Amino acid sequence: MRLQKFLARAGVASRRHAEELIAAGRVTVNSAVVAEMGAKVDPATDAVAVDGAPVALPEEAVTLMLHKPAGYVTTMSDPQGRPTVAELVDVPAHPGLFPVGRLDTDTTGLLLFTTDGELGHGLLHPRQHVTKRYLALVEGALTEADARRLREGVTLEDGPTLPADVRILADAEAERAAALIGDDGASSGQRQRHGGKRSRAALAQGGTYVEVGLREGRKRQVRRMLAAVDHPVIALHRQSFGPLDLGELPRGHARRLTDAEVAALKAAAR
Ligand code: URA
């Protein structure tokens, strides 16, 4: 980055005034005066000072998406010593990172992390209604009548649910859902109940793949909604969060969102 841009970004001066500071010999890079225009600095490694006072860029907020595997608790530390999602993101590189909401230990898929409190809390605010899309494998043959009940809203112990998007997946869509849910979406307990080592495809023969889009985020909501229509969840995966889709991100991997993705998320949270 050019030195005058660095100084402007750091809030020391306008770009024009920064050039004047440089020309006046008041700026040092790694203790050496740099008086020529156009010199470059690396904000990660170079020490820049003006009149001897160190100058740094403001901390930039970071937002990441993680493809959460099953078996990880959504918390940054667990007193019981269970595996946590914090092990899957680079916390030392991004102090202050926290998960935006939670996925159950057995749920896989898109989990956001951010250091931007305003964005994180904005996305979680009950009034935001950012749509989250889930793929679920449920027990039994879920019918169109069940789907209609779910769409209209079912009454849970903490009150009625808002209208939801619910689609029964068949054929290629069901196969795609099976691939996305993957092999670790059901807990070992669930596998026991559903036939020990039977493959996911075999499980699906007696089950149904559904897509559920929710604009609210109550605790274990998808599981409780599907149980309320007598189709308990075998495996659950979150494929998208507002404008963001998990895409091809491999399970267990995290990536930083692009500026465009952060802008889209902020627009969705507004
Ligand atoms: N709904 C659930 O039931 N579980 C999750 O992890 C997310 C949404």
Side-chain angles (χ1 to χ4, degrees):
M1 172 184 310
R2 282 174 191 272
L3 185 53
Q4 54 267 53
K5 185 173 176 184
F6 177 94
L7 294 171
R9 280 249 186 110
V12 170
S14 66
R15 207 84 61 106
R16 171 84 45 90
H17 183 46
E19 287 173 3
E20 289 168 10
L21 292 172
I22 294 168
R26 293 170 58 186
V27 180
T28 56
V29 177
N30 302 326
S31 306
V33 172
V34 174
E36 76 271 17
M37 242 20 86
K40 295 233 168 120
V41 288
D42 180 346
T45 54
D46 289 328
V48 178
V50 175
D51 296 333
V55 174
L57 293 183
E59 280 286 324
E60 215 189 321
V62 171
T63 304
L64 312 172
M65 71 159 77
L66 167 71
H67 186 162
K68 178 191 172 297
Y72 287 79
V73 187
T74 305
T75 178
M76 295 310 275
S77 71
D78 183 51
Q80 295 172 47
R82 294 169 295 180
T84 73
V85 293
E87 295 165 28
L88 304 171
V89 291
D90 191 354
V91 182
H94 309 298
L97 207 58
F98 67 95
V100 179
R102 64 190 295 282
L103 291 177
D104 301 332
T105 307
D106 286 338
T107 303
T108 60
L110 199 166
L111 182 63
L112 288 176
F113 288 79
T114 189
T115 59
D116 183 339
E118 198 182 336
L119 175 63
H121 296 299
L123 287 166
L124 292 179
H125 196 282
R127 274 202 306 266
Q128 285 314 332
H129 303 323
V130 177
T131 300
K132 277 82 80 182
R133 290 201 177 277
Y134 298 88
L135 298 170
L137 170 60
V138 300
E139 288 182 21
L142 190 135
T143 63
E144 199 39 53
D146 296 322
R148 209 174 310 123
R149 277 181 67 198
L150 292 166
R151 273 182 214 125
E152 286 166 3
V154 288
T155 300
L156 303 177
E157 60 199 18
D158 51 357
T161 60
L162 290 177
D165 301 330
V166 179
R167 283 195 319 122
I168 299 173
L169 305 179
D171 306 327
E173 279 196 309
E175 270 170 41
R176 197 172 125 70
L180 287 167
I181 289 178
D183 287 320
D184 69 349
S187 69
S188 54
Q190 285 169 320
R191 281 209 190 85
Q192 291 303 317
R193 278 193 281 117
H194 294 278
K197 294 200 185 312
R198 280 168 62 194
S199 72
R200 184 54 53 78
L203 285 177
Q205 283 172 13
T208 311
Y209 284 102
V210 279
E211 184 190 74
V212 179
L214 291 188
R215 279 170 271 301
E216 50 187 344
R218 294 192 235 158
K219 203 169 176 199
R220 298 180 73 81
Q221 185 168 346
V222 177
R223 292 176 197 273
R224 290 191 292 140
M225 285 172 69
L226 287 159
V229 295
D230 294 323
H231 292 285
V233 164
I234 298 167
L236 185 62
H237 173 86
R238 181 156 70 191
Q239 184 58 27
S240 69
F241 190 113
L244 303 177
D245 191 275
L246 197 52
E248 302 299 315
L249 187 64
R251 197 168 316 150
H253 287 243
R255 73 164 176 86
R256 196 166 167 166
L257 299 190
T258 64
D259 290 348
E261 286 173 327
V262 173
L265 207 51
K266 285 186 176 166
R270 209 166 290 135

